[in-house]
Amino acid sequence: MGELEYLPERHDLYDWIERWSDTTLAGLSEVRAAAIMVELNGLQEVQRANGHRFSDRLLAQIGGQIQGELPPAARCFNWHNSRILAVVPDHPEGVIDDDILSMLLQVAEGPHELADRAFRFQSAIGFSTLPQAGETLDDLITAAQQALENALKTNRTVGEGKSVEEAETAVLLNDLHNALKNDEFFLKYQPQFSRDLRCSGAEALIRWEHPERGTVSPGLFLPLAERSGLIHFVSNWVFKTAFERVAEWQDKGYLNDRTIALNVSPTQLTSEQFPEFLKEQQRRTEAEPDNIEIEITEKTLDSDPDVIVERLESLQAQGYSVALDDFGTGYSSVQRLADFPLDRVKVDRSLLPASQDDERRCEIVRFLIRIADVLDLDVFVEGVETDKQLEFLQQIQCQYMQGFYFEHPLNHDKLVEDYLREESSTEATV
Amino acid sequence: MNILIFEDEQISAMECKEILEENGHDVLGVHASFGQGQDQLDEADLVLMDIRLDGEVDGIEAGRRLNDQDVPVIYVTAHSDSSTLSEAQSTYPAGYIVKPYTEDELLTAIETASLSFG
């Protein structure tokens, strides 16, 4: 290679890629592709000193050399005066690795000889691939450009594009701050029922109404908040809001022996200041802990057991009850029920049999109820969706239940209206 | 990643530095007050900031100034009371780690935060 007189321009790229793939641009994602954006810092000075024709010839020479290092189907384009875009339309994963990117960087840096003169450039590279960067050629190029900008910003020579997932994570991470600032979070309350179908309380569940995306799944943003540590801010908001609500309902006599369950992340529970944090909320709102249940997950029990036991005992001493959520989804050991100070165990929906024909699951739930009875724990079954499941749970004397069969999560005034207010019916309308 | 640490407890700072360096990060400097290390901010991809610092500027005020300069901050602190969290939140940090933290917590928070700026 190296024989090109001029590099094709940016607008030639779309004609070329369509001819190559013989499909629409959207079809590109199916064949996998890569893009490399190369910055040649110093080329504009060459152009100013020697004219466009000279610098275009130099650019074509460098593009030809870069193309020569890439698979045969690759093509280079003049993206801007000092940038070359190389597109590799058929790019099985791993074909362009770190070694090739380093080589391309060396090639770009030069020296390049033209008209008996030698030129060197300070270079950097942005690299992206499809389908990781998205679905279209534009996604691919934007990702390569972004990767180059990031590399330049952080004084690196090679930047790799974010995957779609990473880019999505980045956006959500930034949006989390706006959600807190702009009151985009709100709580819904899923009613819980005792065996006689009376409302025994509710679980507070965080929801995010994003102004552009609509509802964002907690399964998406909570793990992200946990990973970044921003969960402390989110939990702070949840507890402040829920404590205010509990205080209001206590004041109006809506709760009596009902509990409002709040989920606590492992990070939050293991924090030394968590008991003090709860006291602060209690002082501020004057909410009594008797109507508040702290729900932890099995994952929390994987932390230092001494710390967890001490923390849970301290919560119980303050008057909160403690429930182990999602029992049966992780490393579920009955011994754990005995090792930790718990008031209630919530059996995960995955263990609930669809009908009494599923004898193994029926037996597991029966067994858990017997064990819980021995350990003096309340048993709570989540995910009740059918009358057959309800019938089974009533038959085996399950104490508490929750699920779409009874009710979906409600906003606070609906919960009050339908279940908490004294004059309203507190029974599930099933 | 080039990381700058502001931390008034020397032992904590050294432990943090060791974890970062063992995992391929470059620690540009460790400072007990925000008055120090200003000349290293330009090179920093990320700042780990204790909330309690020596000197006149506390970690949250420092975080606020760095946010204005588009320098990403992760707070590393023993404080997780409601009012500190509210103040820290108003400075838009990239992360918030409560001491004592595990190596995994620190590295995961850095990796996750880096997606929003790297």
Side-chain angles (χ1 to χ4, degrees):
Chain A
M1 297 299 287
E3 304 298 324
L4 298 170
E5 190 160 351
Y6 293 105
L7 272 189
E9 297 288 333
R10 176 195 279 213
H11 54 81
D12 298 322
L13 167 68
Y14 292 89
D15 292 341
W16 170 75
I17 203 81
E18 285 207 26
R19 277 203 307 277
W20 185 87
S21 65
D22 198 28
T23 62
T24 61
L25 289 180
L28 197 64
S29 62
E30 290 160 22
V31 292
R32 312 182 75 93
I36 300 143
M37 186 81 78
V38 184
E39 163 92 3
L40 299 166
N41 189 7
L43 189 71
Q44 284 188 338
E45 283 71 20
V46 173
Q47 183 201 88
R48 274 196 286 274
N50 303 281
H52 280 283
R53 190 163 178 206
F54 187 88
S55 72
D56 282 352
R57 281 177 61 203
L58 191 56
L59 199 67
Q61 183 177 313
I62 300 167
Q65 287 171 353
I66 288 173
Q67 208 164 288
E69 300 293 343
L70 293 170
R75 287 292 176 278
C76 284
F77 298 85
N78 178 357
W79 195 249
H80 277 305
N81 284 338
S82 59
R83 284 185 181 177
I84 292 172
L85 173 71
V87 177
V88 188
D90 183 11
H91 177 252
E93 204 163 354
V95 165
I96 297 178
D97 57 14
D98 289 347
D99 290 344
I100 293 186
L101 291 174
S102 298
M103 192 196 298
L104 292 178
L105 192 67
Q106 275 180 26
V107 168
E109 283 173 345
H112 304 281
E113 290 181 11
L114 185 65
D116 295 331
R117 295 165 62 192
F119 300 91
R120 293 192 76 96
F121 301 103
Q122 209 177 2
S123 294
I125 280 178
F127 175 60
S128 66
T129 55
L130 283 184
Q132 287 79 5
E135 294 178 351
T136 65
L137 182 61
D138 280 339
D139 292 338
L140 179 71
I141 296 168
T142 304
Q145 202 158 3
Q146 190 65 51
L148 174 61
E149 303 297 347
N150 286 337
L152 291 170
K153 207 164 74 182
T154 53
N155 298 322
R156 287 173 294 141
T157 49
V158 178
E160 295 201 18
K162 288 176 186 152
S163 66
V164 174
E165 197 183 326
E166 287 172 331
E168 172 85 355
T169 302
V171 171
L172 271 186
L173 210 52
N174 289 321
D175 288 355
L176 266 176
H177 282 297
N178 292 331
L180 287 159
K181 187 179 151 203
N182 302 330
D183 284 335
E184 291 167 17
F185 288 128
F186 60 99
L187 290 181
K188 282 209 160 194
Y189 298 86
Q190 185 163 24
Q192 303 172 329
F193 297 92
S194 52
R195 198 165 48 219
D196 58 3
L197 302 187
R198 295 186 69 78
C199 176
S200 62
E203 180 180 6
L205 299 163
I206 188 168
R207 295 288 182 263
W208 180 4
E209 195 61 28
H210 192 287
E212 285 149 26
R213 295 158 171 259
T215 307
V216 183
S217 161
L220 196 65
F221 72 83
L222 287 178
L224 176 63
E226 181 83 31
R227 289 210 307 273
S228 63
L230 298 181
I231 193 73
H232 289 283
F233 300 147
V234 176
S235 295
N236 190 29
W237 179 86
V238 169
F239 274 74
K240 280 169 101 167
T241 309
F243 266 67
E244 283 166 14
R245 197 61 74 192
V246 167
E248 178 197 330
W249 289 340
Q250 282 174 339
D251 213 29
K252 291 180 174 165
Y254 291 163
L255 293 181
N256 303 316
D257 59 351
R258 295 180 175 125
T259 52
I260 300 301
L262 304 177
N263 293 281
V264 179
S265 72
T267 315
Q268 195 177 22
L269 187 77
T270 50
S271 147
E272 281 173 11
Q273 295 194 351
F274 185 60
E276 185 50 42
F277 170 80
L278 287 184
K279 281 182 194 159
E280 192 185 350
Q281 298 302 337
Q282 210 182 315
R283 279 195 298 270
R284 190 179 63 82
T285 59
E286 297 184 352
E288 292 297 329
D290 310 14
N291 295 110
I292 298 175
E293 180 175 82
I294 302 295
E295 284 196 6
I296 59 168
T297 60
E298 286 198 282
K299 195 181 159 209
T300 308
L301 304 183
D302 295 338
S303 312
D304 184 340
D306 293 340
V307 171
I308 298 297
V309 168
E310 187 258 311
R311 205 54 47 80
L312 297 182
E313 281 175 349
S314 143
L315 291 176
Q316 287 172 327
Q318 285 181 58
Y320 299 97
S321 52
V322 176
L324 178 63
D325 201 6
D326 301 336
F327 186 76
T329 50
Y331 170 61
S332 304
S333 155
V334 170
Q335 193 185 331
R336 289 183 142 191
L337 299 180
D339 288 348
F340 292 92
L342 302 167
D343 298 292
R344 184 186 277 200
V345 55
K346 292 183 81 175
V347 178
D348 189 69
R349 64 192 65 227
S350 60
L351 291 179
L352 182 61
S355 75
Q356 297 199 40
D357 297 339
D358 187 347
E359 286 175 16
R360 292 179 68 160
R361 279 198 167 75
C362 286
E363 201 43 58
I364 290 171
V365 177
R366 269 194 209 101
F367 170 74
L368 286 172
I369 286 177
R370 281 201 299 273
I371 291 288
D373 193 41
V374 171
L375 296 171
D376 200 22
L377 293 172
D378 287 342
V379 176
F380 192 111
V381 174
E382 299 175 296
V384 181
E385 290 181 0
T386 66
D387 53 353
K388 284 183 182 162
Q389 289 174 326
L390 170 62
E391 195 183 316
F392 165 68
L393 292 171
Q394 283 180 320
Q395 216 175 69
I396 61 168
Q397 309 285 307
C398 175
Q399 291 149 304
Y400 297 100
M401 296 163 277
Q402 176 180 327
F404 291 167
Y405 180 68
F406 305 108
E407 194 62 271
H408 285 69
L410 305 171
N411 56 26
H412 61 89
D413 46 4
K414 184 80 175 143
L415 179 78
V416 169
E417 195 182 311
D418 289 359
Y419 295 101
L420 299 188
R421 208 183 280 162
E422 203 131 325
E423 63 268 27
S424 63
S425 163
T426 57
E427 286 188 16
T429 47
V430 293
Chain B
M1 197 176 291
N2 295 329
I3 299 176
L4 192 54
I5 301 173
F6 289 95
E7 166 66 76
D8 70 334
E9 291 170 27
Q10 210 177 353
I11 295 174
S12 296
M14 286 307 121
E15 281 172 1
C16 181
K17 182 173 187 280
E18 204 176 305
I19 293 174
L20 296 176
E21 289 180 342
E22 276 173 4
N23 288 279
H25 296 292
D26 289 327
V27 176
L28 298 172
V30 177
H31 305 288
S33 79
F34 190 59
Q36 302 164 318
Q38 292 295 307
D39 55 336
Q40 290 168 319
L41 283 173
D42 282 348
E43 288 173 66
D45 300 318
L46 174 70
V47 168
L48 296 184
M49 179 72 75
D50 187 10
I51 284 181
R52 198 180 63 189
L53 291 178
D54 291 347
E56 287 176 7
V57 179
D58 69 16
I60 291 181
E61 177 53 28
R64 197 180 311 283
R65 293 183 193 180
L66 293 179
N67 180 52
D68 291 343
Q69 296 171 43
D70 289 330
V71 179
V73 170
I74 293 180
Y75 288 111
V76 183
T77 174
H79 302 278
S80 59
D81 58 282
S82 194
S83 51
T84 306
L85 284 169
S86 297
E87 277 188 60
Q89 185 192 313
S90 69
T91 68
Y92 304 101
Y96 196 96
I97 300 167
V98 177
K99 295 178 194 171
Y101 55 81
T102 62
E103 179 172 327
D104 191 43
E105 266 179 85
L106 177 69
L107 297 172
T108 304
I110 291 172
E111 191 188 325
T112 308
S114 73
L115 292 173
S116 62
F117 57 81

